[in-house]
Amino acid sequence: MGQTIEGLEVHDIRFPTSEQLDGSDAMNPDPDYSAAYLVLRTGDGSEGHGFCFTIGRGNDVVAVAVEALRPHVVGRPAPSCAADLAALHHDLTHDSQLRWLGPEKGVAHMAAGAVVNAAWDLAATRAGLPVWEFLASMSPEELVRLVDFRYLTDALTRDEALALLRAAEPGRAARAALLREHGYPAYTTSPGWLGYSDEKLVRLAKEAVAAGFGQIKLKVGLDMEDDVRRMKLARAAVGPSVRIAVDANQRWDVADAVRWMTALAPYEPYWIEEPTSPDDILGHAAVRAGQPVRVATGEHVANRVVFKQLLQARAVDFVQIDAARVAGVNENVAILLLAAKYGVPVCPHAGGVGLCELVQHLAMFDFVAVSGSWEDRVIEYVDHLHEHFADPAVVVGGRYAAPRAPGFSARMLPGSVATHSYPDGPVWQARRTAPEDDR
Amino acid sequence: MGQTIEGLEVHDIRFPTSEQLDGSDAMNPDPDYSAAYLVLRTGDGSEGHGFCFTIGRGNDVVAVAVEALRPHVVGRPAPSCAADLAALHHDLTHDSQLRWLGPEKGVAHMAAGAVVNAAWDLAATRAGLPVWEFLASMSPEELVRLVDFRYLTDALTRDEALALLRAAEPGRAARAALLREHGYPAYTTSPGWLGYSDEKLVRLAKEAVAAGFGQIKLKVGLDMEDDVRRMKLARAAVGPSVRIAVDANQRWDVADAVRWMTALAPYEPYWIEEPTSPDDILGHAAVRAGQPVRVATGEHVANRVVFKQLLQARAVDFVQIDAARVAGVNENVAILLLAAKYGVPVCPHAGGVGLCELVQHLAMFDFVAVSGSWEDRVIEYVDHLHEHFADPAVVVGGRYAAPRAPGFSARMLPGSVATHSYPDGPVWQARRTAPEDDR
C-alpha cells in the first residue's frame, strides 16, 4: 500500500510581482506570477510536486481543473517506469468528458500537465535520479512509449522516433558527463522588461555580459521608435558578439511584425520571439519569409499538434518548449522528437514561477538522448523567485548547472507555500488590510 | 441604476444522457450533456442568459472560469448597442492575466463566450428583437466594430469586412422576409449515433427523410468495416438524393482519414467532418487533397485565428461554427466574415444543450447580412433536450423556423435548472442514493 498515491493537495500560490515591473511586456503589463501548485503523496511518505504557471487571476480556475483530475490519480499505484507514466498521461489526456474542454489546450490541458509533471517528480525521486537522468536512463523503446503519436504520424512515426533515439544512444554517457562538468548554456531576459528605464536596461545588459551570458533578450512591441532606441542602446552596451533576442509576446499582426523587425534588423536581433498569435502557424511562416530575423515561438503553443505544424510549415527557427503548458514531460518528449526530426533547435522558455527549475531537465535530456547537440541551443533564465524552491536552478557563468538532486526540482518551500497562498496567506492578507495605495 | 448589471448567477447543470447512447461517437462514448449556465440580472428586472456546453466532468471548472469574469460584468451598465457589446467582448478577452490561460482557447475562452452571449441575450431582449434580427438591424459600421481584427488582417481587413457587409445590405429586408416565411435549412444527426443498432439507424434515417430533412449525418471512425456497412444501409434507406454527411469526431490521423474516406466514398458521403485534430490545419488540408469527399470542421476550433488559417490553407469546404466555444457572438461575426471573404459556406454545429437554440440566430444573420446566401448551407439539428428551454428551436419540414421571441433563445426553464443542478439537484440526488446498477 505504501506505493499507492493516497493524497493530492492543491494550492493557489500567488506572488505580488505586479508591484514592481518585473515581468512586464507588451501584452502582460501587470502580472502577478502565480502557480496552481500540487503535491502527490504516497502512503510511504514519498511526494511528487508539480504546478501550472499563471500570471494571477484565473490561478484558482487552474486549481479547480487539477482537482477535477483527482479520480485519475488518488488510489493509483505510484508510477515508477515509462509504462506507468505513459498510462497516467494517457488517462489524464484521454478522459473524453474533460477532453471536451480543450481538446488538449488551455486550462484543462495545463492542469493535466501539472499532474503529469508531479508524477514524474514522484517517480524520479523514488528512483533517486534527477528527471533529466531518469529520462536518459530509459531505452529508446521506453521513451517512444511515453509519446502519444495520435495526430503526429504524418510528420513523425513511432519508428522514425525510435531511429532518432537509437542514433543518439551511443553518445549518451559522454554528453551526460559534459553536462555535469560544464552545465548547459543559458540566456537571460532580466535586462529587457518593458517597464524598465533605459538606464536600468543598459546597466542590467552589461551586468549580464559580465556574468557570462552570451545572449540576452529584450521585450518589444509597444512602440517601434522606443524599441529601436532600446535595441540600439542594448547593442552598444553588449557589443557585436553577444546575441540579443527580442520578444513581442504576440503583440503583432503579420504586417506589423515584418515592418517592426525590418526596422530592428540593423541592430542584429538574434531572433524574434512570439511575433504574433501562437495559434498562427501560417502567420509565423509569413513573418519568417517576410523579414530577415529568425523566428522563435512556443511558450504559448497549446500542444504537440501545433508544434508539428510549425515545423511542417517551416515557420520557426527555434522551438521554445514550456515545461508546464502542454501535458507535461510526455508531451514535451514528443515535441523534442518532432524538433529533432526537422532539425530545429529547442530553446526552452523559462522564467515565471519554477519554469527554469523544470525545463532545465528537458533541455538536458534533449542534449543527452534526443538531439545530441547544444549548438544554437540555450535555456532562458530569469533571476526571479528561485528562493521559493527547495532545489533551485543554479546558473553560473551563463550556464545552468546540471541538477543533481532526485526529482524535477519542482518542490516549493513549505514556508513559501504558506506565505503566498491566495487569498488567505499573510502576503495577501496584508495587502487586503493595508490602506489603499496607488497599486 | 435600472440599467446596471447587478447580478451574475452561475449554475452547473448536467443531464444524465450517458444512460442512453444518445450522443455517442468515436471519441465521446458516454457524454453527460451539460451546461455551465449563467444569468445576468439588471436592477430593472431584465435578464441575459448564456452558457458553455460541456459533456460532463469539468463543467464545474467552466463554471469557476465564468465566476472569474464577474469583476468585468457586475456593476457594468447593461449593454444596448454594438459599441457596448464590443467593449464588453474586449474587456473579457483582453484581461491580460486571464488571457494567459489560453490565450483565446479552452476553458477561459469558452467562459468568456458564455458571458458575451448572455450580454447579447440581455441586449436583444431589451431591444425587443431576436438576436438574429438585432444583429441584422446594425449597420455595416456597427457590425465591424464588434470584431477584434487582431491577428486577422493578413486575411481580412476592417475595410474588406465593411465592403462585404455593404454589398449584402440591399437584400437584407427581402432575405429576412424569406426566413420568416420559409425558415432555414436543417440537417439531422439523430439517426447516426455510433451506439445505435443497424435497425435503429435505418428506421431513424427513413423517419428523417419523411420528416423533410434533405441531409442526415452518421458518426464514423471506430471500425471501418462497420462504417462501410452502416453507410451502405443508410444510403439504401434514404436513396440517392438525400445527403449523408459523416463525422469522425477527430478520431483519425491524416492517413487513416484518407484510407477510411476512400472506402466510404462509393456511398457518396456529402462531407467528412472532424477527420482529425481540430488544431491540425495542415492535416485538414492534406485530408482534403488526399481523398474525394469534402471536408468540414469547426465545432472544436478554438478561435478565429485557427478558422482564418483553415480558410487560408484551403483546408475546408464547410465552416462549422459553434455558438458557445469561441468568444460568443462577436468572435462568430468575425468567423462569418472570414468565411464570406473566402467563399466557404457556414454550416453550424449544433446539438448538445441549447446549441441549436443559439446558433440558428447566427446562421440566419449570416443569410440576411453577411453571405446573403443559403445555398449549400444547413444548420445541424438534434432533437434532444429542447424541452428545457423557454424558447426552443423549432424545426418543421426539415427547416428551422425563424425565432420571433426577443433574445438569444438561451433561457432554460427554471424547473429544469433546479432539477438538473449538479450535484445537488433531484436528478443527481436520486442517482447517488439509488442502489448500484449497471450504469
Side-chain angles (χ1 to χ4, degrees), chain A residues 27 30 57 95 97 99-100 102 105 150-151 153 250 253 279-282 303 308-309 325, chain B residues 27 30 57 95 97 99-100 102 105 150-151 153 250 253 279-282 303 308-309 325:
Chain A
M27 293 291 273
D30 58 350
R57 285 184 293 281
D95 178 317
Q97 294 188 0
R99 187 180 182 279
W100 191 269
K105 59 179 67 67
R150 175 170 278 179
Y151 307 139
T153 58
Q250 313 168 25
D253 282 25
D279 302 330
D280 200 346
I281 296 137
L282 302 179
N303 57 45
K308 177 188 77 167
Q309 295 172 84
R325 185 167 289 276
Chain B
M27 293 291 272
D30 58 351
R57 285 184 293 282
D95 178 315
Q97 294 188 359
R99 188 180 181 279
W100 190 270
K105 59 178 67 67
R150 175 170 278 180
Y151 306 139
T153 58
Q250 314 169 23
D253 282 25
D279 302 331
D280 200 346
I281 296 138
L282 302 178
N303 57 46
K308 176 189 77 166
Q309 294 173 85
R325 186 167 287 275

Side-chain angles (χ1 to χ4, degrees), chain B residues 4-301:
Chain B
T4 297
I5 299 173
E6 295 186 355
L8 165 66
E9 276 171 30
V10 189
H11 301 271
D12 180 347
I13 306 297
R14 307 192 193 189
F15 299 91
T17 50
S18 63
E19 293 173 15
Q20 284 83 39
L21 291 173
D22 302 343
S24 59
D25 64 50
M27 293 291 272
N28 306 295
D30 58 351
D32 283 328
Y33 280 10
S34 301
Y37 178 72
L38 72 106
V39 186
L40 305 177
R41 293 186 199 280
T42 65
D44 63 356
S46 306
E47 295 179 8
H49 301 255
F51 51 84
C52 298
F53 169 58
T54 81
I55 63 172
R57 285 184 293 282
N59 201 51
D60 52 328
V61 180
V62 183
V64 172
V66 172
E67 283 287 353
L69 296 168
R70 181 180 292 277
H72 292 294
V73 178
V74 173
R76 186 181 192 105
S80 66
C81 63
D84 296 345
L85 290 157
L88 177 64
H89 172 263
H90 181 275
D91 291 351
L92 293 174
T93 56
H94 287 249
D95 178 315
S96 65
Q97 294 188 359
L98 293 173
R99 188 180 181 279
W100 190 270
L101 306 181
E104 301 190 77
K105 59 178 67 67
V107 166
H109 204 52
M110 292 162 75
V115 175
V116 167
N117 283 343
W120 277 88
D121 184 50
L122 177 63
T125 299
R126 291 171 70 96
L129 293 171
V131 159
W132 71 273
E133 288 194 82
F134 183 55
L135 273 164
S137 75
M138 292 179 179
S139 67
E141 290 73 15
E142 288 173 308
L143 290 169
V144 294
R145 187 160 186 172
L146 298 174
V147 172
D148 183 353
F149 283 95
R150 175 170 278 180
Y151 306 139
L152 298 189
T153 58
D154 56 325
L156 178 74
T157 64
R158 187 181 172 283
D159 286 348
E160 288 173 313
L162 205 49
L164 283 167
L165 291 163
R166 284 180 179 151
E169 219 177 354
R172 283 188 186 187
R175 287 189 296 270
L178 276 175
L179 272 183
R180 284 190 205 94
E181 190 177 342
H182 299 290
Y184 192 103
Y187 76 91
T188 177
T189 304
S190 297
W193 302 107
L194 269 189
Y196 288 179
S197 68
D198 288 355
E199 181 279 330
K200 188 168 181 179
L201 163 66
V202 168
R203 176 170 55 80
L204 293 176
K206 288 183 174 169
E207 287 176 13
V209 176
F213 288 101
Q215 179 174 333
I216 65 170
K217 190 164 81 183
L218 305 189
K219 299 291 184 174
V220 297
L222 267 193
D223 181 282
M224 195 165 80
E225 285 184 32
D226 279 350
D227 289 344
V228 170
R229 189 190 72 252
R230 294 168 64 251
M231 183 75 201
K232 201 169 163 178
L233 284 169
R235 177 56 72 207
V238 304
S241 64
V242 170
R243 293 168 172 172
I244 307 177
V246 301
D247 182 356
N249 290 89
Q250 314 169 23
R251 184 75 189 185
W252 300 321
D253 282 25
V254 170
D256 304 322
V258 168
R259 184 170 55 88
W260 216 289
M261 292 314 301
T262 303
L264 289 179
Y267 309 100
E268 296 190 53
Y270 185 58
W271 73 51
I272 171 59
E273 176 171 335
E274 290 204 306
T276 190
S277 164
D279 302 331
D280 200 346
I281 296 138
L282 302 178
H284 279 84
V287 171
R288 186 166 183 256
Q291 51 76 47
V293 179
R294 281 175 279 198
V295 172
T297 201
E299 71 179 87
H300 272 89
V301 168

Side-chain angles (χ1 to χ4, degrees), chain A residues 276-344:
Chain A
T276 189
S277 164
D279 302 330
D280 200 346
I281 296 137
L282 302 179
H284 279 83
V287 171
R288 186 166 183 256
Q291 51 76 47
V293 179
R294 280 175 281 198
V295 172
T297 200
E299 71 178 87
H300 270 90
V301 168
N303 57 45
R304 71 199 181 287
V305 180
V306 182
F307 277 111
K308 177 188 77 167
Q309 295 172 84
L310 287 165
L311 292 161
Q312 289 175 311
R314 307 277 168 194
V316 290
D317 297 282
F318 301 97
V319 163
Q320 298 181 300
I321 58 169
D322 181 281
R325 185 167 289 276
V326 302
V329 172
N330 296 61
E331 191 162 10
N332 268 317
V333 171
I335 297 162
L336 294 175
L337 287 164
L338 283 163
K341 160 84 184 278
Y342 284 87
V344 173

Side-chain angles (χ1 to χ4, degrees), chain A residues 201-374:
Chain A
L201 162 67
V202 167
R203 175 169 55 80
L204 293 176
K206 288 182 173 167
E207 287 175 16
V209 176
F213 289 101
Q215 178 174 333
I216 64 170
K217 190 164 80 183
L218 306 190
K219 300 291 184 174
V220 297
L222 267 193
D223 180 284
M224 194 164 84
E225 284 184 32
D226 278 352
D227 289 344
V228 170
R229 187 189 72 252
R230 293 167 66 249
M231 182 76 202
K232 201 169 165 179
L233 284 169
R235 176 55 72 206
V238 303
S241 64
V242 170
R243 293 168 173 173
I244 306 176
V246 299
D247 181 355
N249 288 89
Q250 313 168 25
R251 184 75 190 185
W252 300 320
D253 282 25
V254 170
D256 304 322
V258 169
R259 184 170 55 89
W260 217 289
M261 292 314 301
T262 303
L264 290 179
Y267 310 100
E268 295 189 55
Y270 184 58
W271 71 51
I272 171 60
E273 176 171 334
E274 290 205 304
T276 189
S277 164
D279 302 330
D280 200 346
I281 296 137
L282 302 179
H284 279 83
V287 171
R288 186 166 183 256
Q291 51 76 47
V293 179
R294 280 175 281 198
V295 172
T297 200
E299 71 178 87
H300 270 90
V301 168
N303 57 45
R304 71 199 181 287
V305 180
V306 182
F307 277 111
K308 177 188 77 167
Q309 295 172 84
L310 287 165
L311 292 161
Q312 289 175 311
R314 307 277 168 194
V316 290
D317 297 282
F318 301 97
V319 163
Q320 298 181 300
I321 58 169
D322 181 281
R325 185 167 289 276
V326 302
V329 172
N330 296 61
E331 191 162 10
N332 268 317
V333 171
I335 297 162
L336 294 175
L337 287 164
L338 283 163
K341 160 84 184 278
Y342 284 87
V344 173
V346 173
C347 297
H349 170 246
V353 178
L355 298 179
C356 300
E357 279 68 22
L358 295 183
V359 87
Q360 61 182 338
H361 291 271
L362 302 174
M364 292 183 192
F365 162 67
D366 178 63
F367 175 60
V368 174
V370 186
S371 72
S373 170
W374 56 23

